[in-house]
């Protein structure tokens, strides 16, 4: 605080302003009004639900109402962890996400590097469009596409591949052992095109002079790729990977719910936190389990996002989220 | 020239395979929707119709009132949602972009924090159903998708980097108030970012089924994706819908169920598949903006 500051005209003005916060607020009332709808929407969608986290410490009873329900402390969490399910569900969520991150990053970078070698403009545009299309399709439609292949009675794989080659048809939606592969393939199919476009944009942004200098020094295609392109991609690879690690406790609900057709037979290998919370809440009506699992997910997610952001900031301060 | 202008044929071959892998699932569904019921039962789904038949599309054209209504719900929600969303998002972003606005730090954090922490599904569900009582209403399908923190930051970045502050200043010196500056100067200059975010929002409204799954139980308010979800998860559902639709019960027309299912999936894909190649350049631009800095 500048206590000793002489009272000048300017100083007096600041003082008057500080003394009247209402005027400061009113001076920009038009901006407040423009921001207001957004502020209210965030309040409804994001902030009010945050107050709901205390529900995880209550035994919710709709006849007593949300406020009237009894406090049970950490009992919901104790119960959640005695169900044994939760460990399997957490493992599923984290392991699928790790597999998705590793495979999608690898494939996206590979596709971007190769796509950069396609000199034909028309071919390049066509490939980019067709790779991006899956990204724009809802998971419901993806479930239809998968069903086209896996429908046990009429699907393409059973009817056109397995039967003609004399093998027995597979009841896909009742055979858990195939699903880790199916889910990984479907996820890659849907998201690799999108990822490779981001990497391609980075490659296109690399200054051409590096390549010209390298060519003068006699570097071939392979050398140029490993010594120039890949090093330029590594920072953005690290950052995108870190950001997805920040979301490792959140599963793609659509993928695990729609594509598996919510088949109970597959639960051991397809149930993730998000589908568990949904089923507990709206199918079995077990709000206590839903709220404790939901809070667990929110809190760990928060810790992950914040720590990942610190890491990103260390690597490259302008890439950090905040 | 050491860098030849011809593409390695192996790379061409590789990308033909990649493109086929991306597109063939859609082709399969399209062909199933065009194959007659008897051929489907006999040969299963295949990449070429053994017996070309348009019955499913004829049915959708003439009889399927519930399906058309679901289409209508999707269109209304997408159009209204996108317009309102663009307005709300850009207005908030504009406020955040004005460096004179004294509370911009606090307000930025207010937006940012929603990207870091959430209350989870149950409290969110309770806010909409027990507090706002919006279950089984169209606003329940529109409001949740209106504002995303990420989109606000993309727009704010655009406003601060692409619209010179001197332009805003001179407009205000000339007597334009904030609303006028925003509507007549800032928005018209921001068409690229509005198109980008608009496209994000259109796609997410059009593809949304989750809010219907959670909030809607009145079948008159089903949107297209939720309708598709129901017909895939529950084969009898379509039968029931079809018998409600005025099918001539005296004729012994069989309902081509599988064919119809896949035809509906096709008409859900169609608008997206038709629109996105034209808007792709905006989308790619938007992706890069988003990836580089939120």
């Amino acid at each position: 605080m500048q206590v000793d500051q002489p009272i000048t005209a300017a100083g007096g003005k600041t003082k008057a302003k500080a003394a009247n916060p209402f005027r400061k607020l009113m001076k920009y009332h038009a901006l407040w009004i423009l921001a207001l709808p957004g502020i209210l929407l965030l309040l409804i969608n994001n902030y009010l639900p945050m107050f709901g986290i205390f529900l995880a410490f209550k035994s919710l009873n709709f006849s007593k109402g949300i406020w009237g329900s009894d406090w049970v402390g950490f009992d919901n969490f104790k119960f959640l962890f005695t169900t044994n399910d939760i460990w399997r569900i957490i493992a599923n969520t984290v392991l699928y996400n790790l597999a998705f991150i590793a495979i999608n990053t690898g494939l996206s970078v590979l596709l971007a590097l190769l796509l950069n070698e396609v000199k034909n403009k028309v071919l390049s545009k066509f490939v980019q469009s067709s790779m991006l299309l899956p990204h724009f399709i809802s998971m419901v439609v993806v479930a239809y596409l998968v069903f086209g292949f896996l429908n046990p009675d009429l699907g393409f794989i059973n009817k056109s591949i397995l039967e003609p080659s004399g093998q027995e048809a597979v009841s896909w939606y009742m055979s858990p052992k195939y699903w880790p592969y199916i889910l990984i393939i479907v996820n890659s199919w849907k998201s690799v095109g999108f990822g490779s476009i981001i990497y391609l944009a980075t490659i296109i942004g690399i200054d051409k002079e590096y390549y010209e200098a390298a060519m003068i020094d006699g570097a071939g295609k392979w050398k140029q790729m490993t010594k120039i392109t890949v090093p330029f991609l590594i920072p953005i690879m690290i950052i995108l990977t870190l950001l997805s690690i920040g979301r490792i406790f959140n599963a793609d609900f659509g993928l695990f719910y729609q594509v598996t057709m919510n088949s109970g037979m597959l639960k051991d290998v397809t149930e993730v936190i998000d589908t568990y919370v949904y089923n507990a809440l709206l199918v079995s009506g077990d709000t206590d389990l839903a709220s404790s699992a939901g809070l667990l997910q929110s809190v760990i997610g928060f810790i992950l996002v914040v720590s990942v952001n610190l890491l990103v900031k260390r690597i490259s301060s302008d890439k950090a989220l905040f | 020239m050491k860098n030849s202008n011809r593409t390695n044929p192996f790379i061409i071959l590789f990308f033909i395979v990649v493109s086929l892998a991306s597109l063939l699932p859609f082709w399969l569904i399209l062909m199933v929707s065009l194959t007659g019921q008897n051929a489907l039962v006999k040969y299963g789904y295949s990449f070429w119709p053994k017996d070309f038949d348009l019955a499913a599309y004829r049915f959708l054209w003439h009889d399927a009132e519930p399906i058309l209504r679901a289409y209508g719900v999707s269109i209304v929600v997408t159009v209204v949602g996108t317009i309102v969303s663009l307005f709300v998002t850009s207005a908030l972003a504009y406020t955040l972009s004005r460096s004179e606005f004294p509370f911009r730090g606090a307000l930025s954090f207010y937006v940012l924090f929603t990207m870091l922490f959430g209350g989870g599904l149950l409290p969110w569900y309770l806010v909409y159903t027990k507090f706002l009582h919006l279950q089984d209403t169209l606003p329940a399908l529109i409001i949740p998708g209106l504002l995303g923190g990420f989109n606000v930051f993309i727009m704010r970045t655009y406003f601060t980097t692409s619209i010179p502050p001197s332009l805003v200043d001179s407009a205000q010196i000339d007597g334009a108030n904030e609303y006028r500056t925003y509507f007549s100067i800032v928005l018209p200059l921001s068409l690229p970012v509005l198109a980008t975010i608009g496209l994000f929002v259109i796609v997410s409204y059009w593809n949304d089924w989750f809010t219907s799954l959670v909030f809607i139980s009145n079948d008159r308010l089903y949107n297209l994706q939720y309708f598709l979800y129901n017909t895939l998860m529950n084969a009898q559902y379509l039968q029931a819908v079809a018998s409600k639709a005025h099918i001539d019960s005296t004729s012994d027309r069989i309902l081509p169920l599988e064919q119809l299912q896949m035809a509906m999936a096709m008409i859900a894909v169609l608008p997206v598949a038709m629109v996105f190649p034209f808007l792709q350049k905006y989308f790619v631009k938007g992706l890069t903006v988003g990836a580089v800095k939120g």
Side-chain angles (χ1 to χ4, degrees):
Chain A
M1 287 300 281
Q2 296 149 297
V3 187
D4 299 11
Q5 198 186 18
I7 298 168
T8 59
K13 207 176 152 200
T14 0
K15 244 188 171 175
K17 245 188 184 174
N20 196 346
F22 182 70
R23 245 170 81 185
K24 194 170 149 197
L25 219 67
M26 282 312 291
K27 185 169 175 218
Y28 293 98
H29 69 276
L31 288 174
W32 278 114
I33 288 171
L34 283 174
L36 191 66
I39 293 174
L40 287 178
L41 278 173
L42 291 174
L43 187 72
I44 292 172
N45 258 325
N46 302 87
Y47 285 97
L48 285 181
M50 280 182 208
F51 291 110
I53 58 178
F54 72 85
L55 291 173
F57 306 98
K58 279 194 160 198
S59 175
L60 194 59
N61 180 339
F62 282 114
S63 60
K64 291 185 186 175
I66 293 166
W67 304 108
S69 298
D70 302 326
W71 289 98
V72 293
F74 281 90
D75 281 4
N76 291 338
F77 291 92
K78 282 186 199 141
F79 184 53
L80 181 69
F81 281 98
T82 54
T83 56
N84 280 329
D85 288 347
I86 190 69
W87 295 112
R88 177 175 52 81
I89 292 158
I90 290 176
N92 278 346
T93 312
V94 172
L95 291 175
Y96 275 116
N97 272 322
L98 285 177
F100 294 162
I101 294 170
I103 292 167
N104 290 351
T105 309
L107 284 178
S108 302
V109 170
L110 180 76
L111 283 175
L113 288 173
L114 290 175
L115 201 51
N116 189 42
E117 297 299 318
V118 177
K119 301 287 186 288
N120 184 325
K121 279 254 158 61
V122 178
L123 179 68
S124 175
K125 276 271 168 294
F126 176 74
V127 170
Q128 290 183 40
S129 298
S130 50
M131 286 193 331
L132 260 182
L133 184 60
H135 175 76
F136 290 88
I137 301 304
S138 81
M139 270 298 172
V140 179
V141 172
V142 175
Y144 272 83
L145 301 180
V146 174
F147 191 66
F149 287 91
L150 300 185
N151 180 344
D153 303 322
L154 304 172
F156 181 77
I157 294 186
N158 278 358
K159 271 278 193 184
S160 299
I161 296 180
L162 294 181
E163 273 181 30
S165 64
Q167 279 164 297
E168 236 173 271
V170 176
S171 307
W172 296 99
Y173 292 91
M174 295 186 206
S175 317
K177 62 179 170 178
Y178 302 111
W179 280 87
Y181 308 104
I182 296 171
L183 290 171
I184 286 173
I185 292 170
V186 173
N187 179 271
S188 297
W189 179 81
K190 197 168 189 325
S191 35
V192 160
F194 177 90
S196 61
I197 301 290
I198 292 178
Y199 289 114
L200 184 66
T202 313
I203 296 177
I204 290 170
I206 300 173
D207 196 333
K208 294 282 172 292
E209 281 182 25
Y210 290 103
Y211 294 99
E212 280 159 18
M215 273 191 282
I216 289 166
D217 291 345
K221 272 250 139 73
W222 179 252
K223 267 262 160 77
Q224 292 176 30
M225 195 179 353
T226 50
K227 303 280 183 205
I228 303 172
T229 318
V230 172
F232 266 103
L233 285 182
I234 284 176
I236 186 134
M237 280 167 69
I238 294 176
I239 283 153
L240 292 181
T241 306
L242 280 173
L243 292 177
S244 11
I245 287 176
R247 301 196 45 81
I248 212 164
F249 246 63
N250 295 82
D252 181 341
F253 182 85
L255 178 66
F256 291 91
Y257 185 83
Q258 296 284 2
V259 176
T260 64
M261 293 174 77
N262 200 23
S263 163
M265 302 279 284
L266 305 176
K267 277 219 161 110
D268 275 349
V269 297
T270 60
E271 187 153 50
V272 288
I273 302 176
D274 300 69
T275 52
Y276 179 78
V277 171
Y278 173 80
N279 281 322
L281 173 61
L282 286 165
V283 181
S284 57
D286 204 331
T287 45
D288 293 342
L289 282 184
S291 57
S292 50
L295 180 58
L296 192 74
Q297 186 181 34
S298 293
V299 169
I300 298 181
F302 177 71
I303 295 170
L304 280 170
V305 170
V306 171
S307 26
V308 154
N309 193 64
L310 281 176
L311 273 175
V312 173
K313 218 171 204 166
R314 283 207 157 175
I315 300 167
S316 152
S317 58
D318 62 319
K319 295 282 192 323
L321 191 59
F322 54 94
Chain B
M1 285 295 281
K2 283 198 184 134
N3 252 344
S4 80
N5 276 323
R6 298 191 47 182
T7 314
N8 184 324
F10 287 107
I11 294 182
I12 295 183
L13 191 69
F14 174 78
F15 277 113
I16 289 173
V17 173
V18 170
S19 298
L20 283 180
S22 305
L23 299 177
L24 275 181
F26 297 102
W27 179 257
L28 178 67
I29 297 308
L30 177 65
M31 288 303 123
V32 173
S33 76
L34 293 171
T35 308
Q37 185 72 6
N38 296 334
L40 280 184
V41 172
K42 205 162 165 195
Y43 306 107
Y45 302 162
S46 64
F47 282 102
W48 198 252
K50 302 268 189 306
D51 159 32
F52 190 79
D53 174 58
L54 282 172
Y57 293 96
R58 270 202 303 273
F59 175 80
L60 288 177
W61 190 249
H62 291 297
D63 299 302
E65 199 215 326
I67 298 168
L68 292 178
R69 198 200 343 261
Y71 222 83
V73 169
S74 277
I75 291 172
V76 168
V77 166
T78 304
V79 170
V80 175
T82 305
I83 293 170
V84 178
S85 171
L86 281 179
F87 171 71
V88 174
T89 310
S90 61
L92 181 57
Y94 173 67
T95 299
L96 288 176
S97 75
R98 291 292 308 274
S99 55
E100 307 95 298
F101 186 60
F103 300 92
R104 99 197 252 252
L107 195 56
S108 288
F109 185 78
Y110 180 81
V111 179
L112 177 79
F113 192 67
T114 62
M115 296 164 70
L116 306 178
F117 187 73
L121 179 64
L122 170 69
W124 181 71
Y125 172 78
L126 292 178
V127 166
Y128 272 85
T129 56
K130 307 273 171 203
F131 185 67
L132 300 172
H133 297 285
L134 286 176
Q135 67 271 43
D136 277 332
T137 63
L138 280 185
L141 293 179
I142 295 175
I143 297 174
L146 285 179
L147 190 73
F150 197 67
N151 292 347
V152 175
F153 285 121
I154 291 181
M155 281 214 192
R156 185 198 59 180
T157 308
Y158 185 91
F159 292 156
T160 46
T161 54
S162 307
I163 293 176
S166 54
L167 196 64
V168 173
D169 286 345
S170 67
Q172 303 206 328
I173 288 165
D174 289 347
N177 60 21
E178 292 289 355
Y179 307 116
R180 213 182 142 127
T181 323
Y182 164 69
F183 282 111
S184 328
I185 308 232
V186 175
L187 283 191
L189 286 174
S190 306
L191 288 180
V193 78
L194 291 175
T196 305
I197 301 292
L199 200 55
F200 286 142
V201 177
I202 288 173
V203 171
S204 71
Y205 272 116
W206 185 259
N207 285 342
D208 177 52
W209 48 274
F210 184 71
T211 33
S212 289
L213 178 69
V214 174
F215 294 127
I216 303 294
S217 53
N218 174 356
D219 61 11
R220 298 176 64 86
L221 293 176
Y222 286 178
N223 68 15
L224 185 63
Q225 306 287 345
Y226 187 62
F227 193 89
L228 282 176
Y229 156 84
N230 272 323
T231 48
L232 184 64
M233 295 284 179
N234 178 359
Q236 285 88 50
Y237 181 77
L238 194 56
Q239 194 85 60
V241 166
S243 58
K244 251 201 243 170
H246 35 89
I247 267 197
D248 192 355
S249 53
T250 51
S251 79
D252 51 357
R253 190 145 56 118
I254 11 158
L255 189 67
L257 273 186
E258 277 85 13
Q259 199 190 346
L260 190 54
Q261 250 182 342
M262 297 309 177
M264 286 180 352
M266 277 331 289
I267 61 168
V269 173
L270 204 64
V272 178
M274 285 191 329
V275 166
F276 113 93
F278 298 102
L279 299 168
Q280 195 184 344
K281 68 170 188 200
Y282 285 121
F283 209 87
V284 170
K285 209 185 271 166
L287 286 186
T288 3
V289 173
V292 172
K293 180 73 189 174

